[in-house]
Amino acid sequence: SPSINLAEIFKRGKLIALTDNSSTSYFVYKGEPMGFEYEMLKAFADNLGVELEVKVAKNMNTIIEQLNSGEADIIAANLTVTSERAELIAFTEPLLLTPQVLIQKKPDGWREMTTDEMNKYLVTSTVDLIGKKIHVRKKSSFFSRLKNIEEEIGGQILIVEVPGETETEELIEMVAKGEIPFTIADQNVALINQTYYSNIDVKTEISFPQKISWAVNKNSGELLAVLNSWINKKKKTSDYFAIYRKYFKSRKDAGVRNESEYFSLKGGKISAYDDLIKQFSQRIDWDWRLLASMI
């Protein structure tokens, strides 16, 4: 598979990253790109002295093929390190560790219930997953974890495969709305989404903490070495903790962003003048989003 070396990245003057459109990896708020992984990527590209180009994966099931065909230099899409994936791509040092959790809807009237009363309605252990219908993507780490749990508990889980275009956060929203009974998410993503949907329960862990890492082509050894060295140093800095806190600890900020129509994952507006900008940007043949961001 075509590998990308550092010399090529310096020659073209930009790092190309494949990411997913989510409240942790990459989103646009008031015309500004944001996200934990986006900010980390930007810091790495700045460190190399190159620009950053972000490509949003349309289908998470094909993201590894896209990397290996040379469409991008790096995947930064909240990827869990698994042995299956490690056969196909090279993982960096982990950016963070997080267990997988079950996403389920709290019972009606949960605000008036004690924790014990509520737990009678909830799945609180992996053994209770037998016969439960859980929606996940086929190529996600959640799918393989559920398959392992079936072996561990000696019973069948009704795993419903969803298309690769379906984001984990869309599935969480479907659980909150009562459209599907269960899904799985990384705990860090689950806790952020709980700020939007207070009626979901995310307490039931179904795995040990797992590594969330970036990935490069297996032949990009030089890039991998530079990334690993940078990640290890970066994780010891106050800047890393500030970025981490901004996305994973500041629930209030996440809640405010989510309520806003200027949040790309929900409303997608950039300014109050979008309609006018769309109309007049055609005259100068500019992308209206670029114009709105500049304004």
Side-chain angles (χ1 to χ4, degrees):
S1 58
S3 68
I4 309 287
N5 59 38
L6 270 176
E8 270 177 84
I9 294 168
F10 287 129
K11 191 177 167 191
R12 77 163 100 94
K14 70 179 172 189
L15 178 75
I16 303 169
L18 262 176
T19 188
D20 67 325
N21 202 199
S22 69
S23 62
T24 51
S25 297
Y26 173 78
F27 61 89
V28 176
Y29 179 61
K30 295 189 174 178
E32 289 292 316
M34 292 181 78
F36 171 73
E37 292 193 279
Y38 171 78
E39 291 207 25
M40 290 289 284
L41 282 168
K42 188 80 182 72
F44 177 65
D46 288 348
N47 183 259
L48 288 183
V50 296
E51 295 294 312
L52 172 65
E53 180 184 327
V54 170
K55 287 185 177 179
V56 176
K58 298 279 188 289
N59 185 332
M60 285 298 285
N61 284 349
T62 59
I63 199 165
I64 290 174
E65 287 90 330
Q66 284 178 270
L67 175 77
N68 284 337
S69 66
E71 278 183 50
D73 309 317
I74 185 171
I75 293 175
N78 207 57
L79 270 198
T80 305
V81 176
T82 65
S83 51
E84 290 165 89
R85 285 172 175 166
E87 287 175 17
L88 304 168
I89 48 182
F91 282 107
T92 64
E93 289 289 319
L95 276 86
L96 40 94
L97 296 169
T98 181
Q100 294 180 5
V101 296
L102 184 70
I103 311 290
Q104 56 191 322
K105 191 167 177 276
K106 292 174 185 172
D108 293 340
W110 61 272
R111 288 180 197 276
E112 282 73 51
M113 291 181 184
T114 65
T115 306
D116 285 347
E117 284 172 333
M118 198 154 68
N119 283 346
K120 286 179 189 153
Y121 292 90
L122 297 173
V123 171
T124 55
S125 102
T126 50
V127 180
D128 300 335
L129 294 177
I130 294 176
K132 297 288 190 287
K133 189 188 274 190
I134 305 179
H135 287 67
V136 289
R137 281 194 313 272
K138 170 83 190 262
K139 289 196 181 177
S140 66
S141 55
F142 314 130
F143 180 87
S144 32
R145 178 67 195 124
L146 287 174
K147 282 292 183 195
N148 289 340
I149 289 173
E150 283 187 327
E151 295 288 318
E152 291 164 19
I153 61 179
Q156 195 182 7
I157 300 167
L158 306 175
I159 306 172
V160 182
E161 293 168 24
V162 300
E165 303 85 60
T166 313
E167 292 281 352
T168 299
E169 291 184 308
E170 287 176 58
L171 293 170
I172 293 174
E173 184 176 7
M174 287 166 81
V175 172
K177 288 178 173 173
E179 292 167 11
I180 60 172
F182 302 98
T183 190
I184 308 287
D186 292 313
Q187 189 185 55
N188 57 349
V189 173
L191 289 171
I192 293 236
N193 278 265
Q194 203 177 36
T195 61
Y196 321 150
Y197 313 114
S198 56
N199 70 331
I200 61 168
D201 179 271
V202 302
K203 288 194 300 289
T204 305
E205 295 184 14
I206 65 154
S207 77
F208 292 114
Q210 297 183 309
K211 294 174 182 173
I212 303 291
S213 297
W214 288 343
V216 296
N217 188 301
K218 279 208 152 187
N219 302 323
S220 301
E222 202 185 3
L223 175 60
L224 183 66
V226 170
L227 271 164
N228 282 340
S229 161
W230 181 82
I231 289 168
N232 284 333
K233 283 199 194 90
K234 186 75 175 172
K235 278 165 69 177
K236 297 184 179 87
T237 65
S238 56
D239 186 43
Y240 169 83
F241 290 106
I243 297 171
Y244 183 86
R245 269 198 305 274
K246 180 174 173 182
Y247 294 102
F248 298 120
K249 295 292 184 192
S250 302
R251 308 274 172 81
K252 186 164 164 275
D253 292 352
V256 168
R257 281 197 294 265
N258 185 63
E259 293 304 313
S260 169
E261 57 191 349
Y262 303 118
F263 183 47
S264 64
L265 304 180
K266 296 287 179 204
K269 288 180 80 171
I270 295 176
S271 73
Y273 310 105
D274 287 358
D275 292 341
L276 280 170
I277 296 165
K278 282 176 189 173
Q279 186 188 332
F280 289 104
S281 64
Q282 290 172 357
R283 289 192 188 175
I284 55 170
D285 198 26
W286 275 35
D287 184 317
W288 76 271
R289 289 164 301 194
L290 175 63
L291 199 56
S293 299
M294 287 174 72
I295 292 168

